[in-house]
Amino acid sequence: MTAPDPSLSYALPAPLPLDGGQALEGATIAYQTYGKLAADKGNAILVCHALTGDQYLASAHPVTGKPGWWERTVGPGKPIDTDRYHVICANVIGSCMGSTGPASEAPDGKPWGMRFPVITVRDMVRGLAALLDGLGIERLHAVVGGSMGGMQALSLAANFPERAARVLAIATTARHSAQNIAFHEVGRQAIMADPNWREGDYYGHDSTPDAGLAVARMAAHITYLSEAGLTEKFGRRLQDRSAKSFGFDADFQVESYLRYQGSGFTRRFDANSYLYITRAMDYLDIAEEHGGKLADAFTGHAMGRGARFCLVSFDTDWLYPTAESRHVVHALNAAGAPVSFVELSSPFGHDSFLLDVPALDRVVKGFLDG
Amino acid sequence: MTAPDPSLSYALPAPLPLDGGQALEGATIAYQTYGKLAADKGNAILVCHALTGDQYLASAHPVTGKPGWWERTVGPGKPIDTDRYHVICANVIGSCMGSTGPASEAPDGKPWGMRFPVITVRDMVRGLAALLDGLGIERLHAVVGGSMGGMQALSLAANFPERAARVLAIATTARHSAQNIAFHEVGRQAIMADPNWREGDYYGHDSTPDAGLAVARMAAHITYLSEAGLTEKFGRRLQDRSAKSFGFDADFQVESYLRYQGSGFTRRFDANSYLYITRAMDYLDIAEEHGGKLADAFTGHAMGRGARFCLVSFDTDWLYPTAESRHVVHALNAAGAPVSFVELSSPFGHDSFLLDVPALDRVVKGFLDG
């Protein structure tokens, strides 16, 4: 499922404290960097990845061989300009591309499986902060992320307010809604219903819970796209046939596309990581972590003592709709933190942050270079 | 899964021609009636049920013991007044509550399973028309339905324009969108991924594909509710606990609710029926059936020669949003058919047609009695 990982990696020198009360010993963070770090270490940008993302931001994925997931945004002369900035992207704790997660060896030498502790987005961010410590980077030029990456950016700002000069959070939220949780729960149930899941103890077996993981991915994938985008891309067009088959093959292009998305995903992702990371996202409620009021999470940024913020939402994103970004912006305003906010128009739904939206390029560049 | 069925039933005297080119021999339609049929048979209302509905419209479900699915709307003195109308509701072909479907015996004496022919909404309607023939009802006072029931109502109007004097189609569409198909495909893949599905040949086995069917139901159920409705009903409230468990139990009420919906559903519904009926809905494109132009489907209703129409949508229904009803209304206008249309405000999403929406009661009663 996961191939040998050519990433850089950093072994945390101390146990990582977790919100669940445990501490994760011997954890490793796998990461990649792009662009040169300045002598004063002042040009580092941390990009945080989304649920199924990884550290291969601007270089080919070692398993799929596909281009990095944000190559349109990160590179020489691009909106996040690697001629100018040192870009760091790390695989989150709990994932499966080299950072410690459920597929990793536990202290007893066997894979963690479901014995891996349940983590939170804040735990992921604690891991990232430990990595920055290890790299000797005290203050980032910026922390940037879309979707779960944006959650990490906001969590870093809330929990380590000195750590970044700029926070750019795209297509994201400070809390998972009931509908967000519901979709994730469907995915988890699909994985757990797969007999090959074996209560998470499938490592080393010939069969892995690919069928369940594929269904989970398919359900999630629909939420990443807009209804209008799906209609424009697929409509009711048939796949490689001129008439309906009156059977259960993938008659429609959208069915074929979803099946492809589902099965392709199983080749690069670990089902248990999917369980753990979706759980972390569902647990996200930054206000709750700070006494129940979101503004209180951001008091460290009052009067420009901390970071400047930029929030971006997309008008067709129904997973983390604009109202969620606006909620964060109101809290930042209440905390007296400097924030700009824009809702961009794009046909692509939640996935807009990964796709061809020139207005996003301008916002990203303007905010980071300004 | 399905208990002995106390329904009335009608054995079709002739093979039922199907859109797939086959003819279904020896088919039976199970149905229920409420209220007295007038001597002139002029007071009959056919109510068509939704995907997982059945004929137990206004009386207890024989498997679950729960009240009929539309008891708030159908009964003495209710919006569809059984003191006044003779209400007929029949289980659709392909379903599992007494009408012929994949769980029924094929001519070889074994269950059809996946040998059952793929059917369409128009095929269901052909079955309903045959039932009306058998009951001697030439012209209905009205045909009424929500969701897939509305699809049947529109299909009856398009294909049997003389058959109903009024057509009331609620929260529905004349074609399944790419997003609609996508969600159904997730459900089908969840069922087919369940090893207990056994290519549909699970009848008589101890184990049935309940896990897959439950996941399918969970995914679909989310689409029946609005984001705001889910937030109001569940928010991020925890289930029977005061703090997160840092585990994979149903911590959140919305998770517990979805699991309950999923598992309860498997006790009353056949997985293969779910495959066949979702397929029928995905195939729905009434325009395509009539040369590609929806207005041409309704030319039989020009100048009031056929039916009067009423379309109702709900502002929070994102499964079949108002735009889909409007699309039908424009086609009816273009065909010169009399039509009224209202978008109702309701917090409940697609499921609004089943729930406490007093404005809907008034529209239903007004249209049927007028």
Side-chain angles (χ1 to χ4, degrees):
Chain A
M1 183 173 32
T2 54
D5 195 322
S7 283
L8 301 168
S9 80
Y10 176 68
L12 300 196
L16 186 71
L18 302 176
D19 278 336
Q22 295 177 259
L24 189 61
E25 305 219 18
T28 291
I29 310 257
Y31 66 102
Q32 288 279 292
T33 66
Y34 305 89
K36 243 180 113 175
L37 184 62
D40 67 356
K41 301 191 174 184
N43 71 332
I45 294 179
L46 178 68
V47 177
C48 303
H49 69 71
L51 166 52
T52 68
D54 48 54
Q55 65 271 43
Y56 302 102
L57 175 74
S59 50
H61 191 283
V63 177
T64 65
K66 288 186 185 166
W69 57 267
W70 225 14
E71 290 210 8
R72 69 164 275 110
T73 303
V74 179
K78 294 188 179 173
I80 301 181
D81 187 350
T82 52
D83 286 339
R84 184 166 181 171
Y85 300 114
H86 177 69
V87 175
I88 304 161
C89 188
N91 193 217
V92 297
I93 290 281
S95 188
C96 51
M97 286 303 292
S99 291
T100 300
S104 307
E105 261 186 24
D108 65 0
K110 295 180 191 156
W112 278 102
M114 298 305 283
R115 302 175 305 157
F116 193 73
V118 165
I119 52 165
T120 65
V121 170
R122 180 158 61 178
D123 294 335
M124 296 173 187
V125 167
R126 288 191 180 105
L128 296 174
L131 171 65
L132 295 177
D133 290 342
L135 298 175
I137 295 168
E138 275 183 39
R139 188 167 166 89
L140 294 161
H141 179 77
V143 59
V144 178
S147 197
M148 189 183 83
M151 298 176 197
Q152 293 167 72
L154 293 174
S155 180
L156 185 94
N159 295 293
F160 302 90
E162 309 293 326
R163 206 85 216 206
R166 290 167 192 78
V167 178
L168 174 53
I170 308 168
T172 194
T173 180
R175 64 182 172 204
H176 240 212
S177 73
Q179 192 185 66
N180 296 152
I181 296 169
F183 275 114
H184 274 175
E185 175 65 1
V186 168
R188 286 190 293 265
Q189 291 295 315
I191 291 168
M192 292 175 165
D194 188 329
N196 290 329
W197 178 61
R198 298 182 179 86
E199 305 291 321
D201 192 14
Y202 53 80
Y203 303 110
H205 283 83
D206 287 342
S207 53
T208 49
D210 292 353
L213 181 59
V215 169
R217 175 64 165 180
M218 288 172 65
H221 200 83
I222 302 172
T223 70
Y224 303 153
L225 309 174
S226 71
E227 197 275 336
L230 274 166
T231 295
E232 193 183 313
K233 193 166 178 176
F234 304 111
R236 295 183 45 82
R237 283 187 292 282
L238 301 175
Q239 176 73 22
D240 299 335
R241 61 200 70 189
S242 58
K244 295 167 186 160
S245 71
F246 288 91
F248 289 90
D249 282 350
D251 268 14
F252 293 104
Q253 286 179 9
V254 68
E255 294 176 298
S256 174
Y257 170 79
L258 274 185
R259 290 185 190 186
Y260 175 82
Q261 292 293 330
S263 67
F265 182 58
T266 64
R267 282 191 283 278
R268 70 172 178 90
F269 214 81
D270 176 50
N272 284 341
S273 282
Y274 197 84
L275 298 178
Y276 277 87
I277 300 178
T278 56
R279 199 49 161 167
M281 294 171 78
D282 291 349
Y283 272 5
L284 182 78
D285 184 347
I286 294 178
E288 186 194 65
E289 289 172 3
H290 294 83
K293 206 175 146 202
L294 189 58
D296 291 344
F298 298 118
T299 49
H301 302 278
M303 315 295 291
R305 284 184 288 113
R308 293 198 290 122
F309 289 78
C310 178
L311 276 280
V312 181
S313 69
F314 298 98
D315 58 353
T316 54
D317 182 353
W318 59 278
L319 187 65
Y320 305 127
T322 291
E324 296 297 331
S325 287
R326 196 176 286 126
H327 178 69
V328 175
V329 170
H330 288 170
L332 289 165
N333 284 333
V339 55
S340 61
F341 169 45
V342 60
E343 180 192 59
L344 298 178
S345 189
S346 155
F348 308 120
H350 180 64
D351 264 357
S352 296
F353 77 99
L354 298 168
L355 298 173
D356 183 18
V357 181
L360 176 64
D361 300 343
R362 291 191 292 271
V363 171
V364 169
K365 185 173 173 53
F367 181 68
L368 295 178
D369 295 354
Chain B
M1 183 171 31
T2 53
D5 195 323
S7 282
L8 301 168
S9 79
Y10 176 69
L12 300 196
L16 186 70
L18 303 176
D19 277 336
Q22 296 177 260
L24 188 61
E25 305 219 19
T28 291
I29 309 257
Y31 65 102
Q32 288 280 291
T33 65
Y34 307 89
K36 243 180 112 174
L37 184 62
D40 67 358
K41 301 192 174 183
N43 71 333
I45 292 179
L46 177 68
V47 177
C48 303
H49 69 72
L51 165 53
T52 69
D54 47 54
Q55 65 272 42
Y56 302 103
L57 175 74
S59 50
H61 191 283
V63 177
T64 65
K66 288 186 185 167
W69 59 267
W70 225 16
E71 290 210 4
R72 69 162 276 110
T73 303
V74 180
K78 293 188 181 175
I80 302 181
D81 188 349
T82 52
D83 286 339
R84 185 164 179 173
Y85 301 114
H86 177 69
V87 175
I88 305 161
C89 187
N91 192 218
V92 297
I93 289 283
S95 189
C96 52
M97 287 302 292
S99 290
T100 299
S104 307
E105 260 185 25
D108 65 1
K110 294 178 191 157
W112 279 102
M114 298 305 284
R115 302 176 304 157
F116 193 74
V118 166
I119 53 165
T120 64
V121 170
R122 180 159 60 180
D123 293 335
M124 297 174 187
V125 167
R126 288 191 180 107
L128 296 173
L131 170 65
L132 295 177
D133 290 343
L135 298 174
I137 295 169
E138 276 185 36
R139 187 166 167 90
L140 293 161
H141 180 77
V143 59
V144 178
S147 197
M148 189 184 82
M151 297 176 197
Q152 292 167 71
L154 293 174
S155 180
L156 185 94
N159 294 294
F160 302 91
E162 309 291 326
R163 206 86 215 205
R166 289 166 193 77
V167 179
L168 173 53
I170 306 167
T172 195
T173 181
R175 62 179 174 206
H176 239 213
S177 73
Q179 191 185 66
N180 295 151
I181 296 169
F183 275 113
H184 274 175
E185 175 66 1
V186 168
R188 286 190 294 264
Q189 290 296 313
I191 291 168
M192 291 175 166
D194 188 329
N196 290 330
W197 180 60
R198 298 183 180 84
E199 306 290 322
D201 192 15
Y202 52 81
Y203 303 109
H205 283 83
D206 287 342
S207 53
T208 49
D210 292 354
L213 181 60
V215 169
R217 175 63 166 181
M218 289 172 66
H221 200 83
I222 302 172
T223 70
Y224 303 154
L225 309 175
S226 71
E227 197 276 335
L230 275 166
T231 295
E232 193 183 313
K233 192 166 181 178
F234 303 111
R236 294 182 47 81
R237 283 187 292 281
L238 300 175
Q239 175 74 20
D240 300 335
R241 63 199 68 190
S242 58
K244 295 167 187 161
S245 71
F246 288 92
F248 290 90
D249 281 351
D251 268 13
F252 295 103
Q253 286 179 9
V254 67
E255 294 176 299
S256 175
Y257 170 78
L258 274 186
R259 290 185 190 185
Y260 176 82
Q261 292 294 329
S263 67
F265 182 58
T266 63
R267 283 191 283 278
R268 71 172 177 90
F269 213 82
D270 176 49
N272 283 341
S273 282
Y274 197 84
L275 298 178
Y276 277 87
I277 299 178
T278 56
R279 198 52 162 165
M281 293 170 79
D282 291 348
Y283 272 4
L284 183 77
D285 185 346
I286 294 178
E288 186 194 66
E289 289 172 4
H290 294 84
K293 208 176 148 203
L294 189 57
D296 290 346
F298 299 118
T299 48
H301 303 278
M303 316 295 292
R305 283 184 287 114
R308 291 197 292 124
F309 289 79
C310 177
L311 275 282
V312 181
S313 69
F314 298 99
D315 58 354
T316 55
D317 182 353
W318 58 278
L319 187 66
Y320 305 128
T322 291
E324 295 298 331
S325 287
R326 197 175 287 126
H327 178 71
V328 176
V329 170
H330 288 172
L332 288 165
N333 283 333
V339 56
S340 60
F341 169 45
V342 60
E343 180 190 59
L344 298 178
S345 190
S346 155
F348 309 121
H350 180 64
D351 264 358
S352 296
F353 78 97
L354 298 168
L355 299 173
D356 183 18
V357 181
L360 176 63
D361 300 343
R362 290 190 292 272
V363 170
V364 169
K365 185 172 171 57
F367 181 69
L368 295 178
D369 294 355

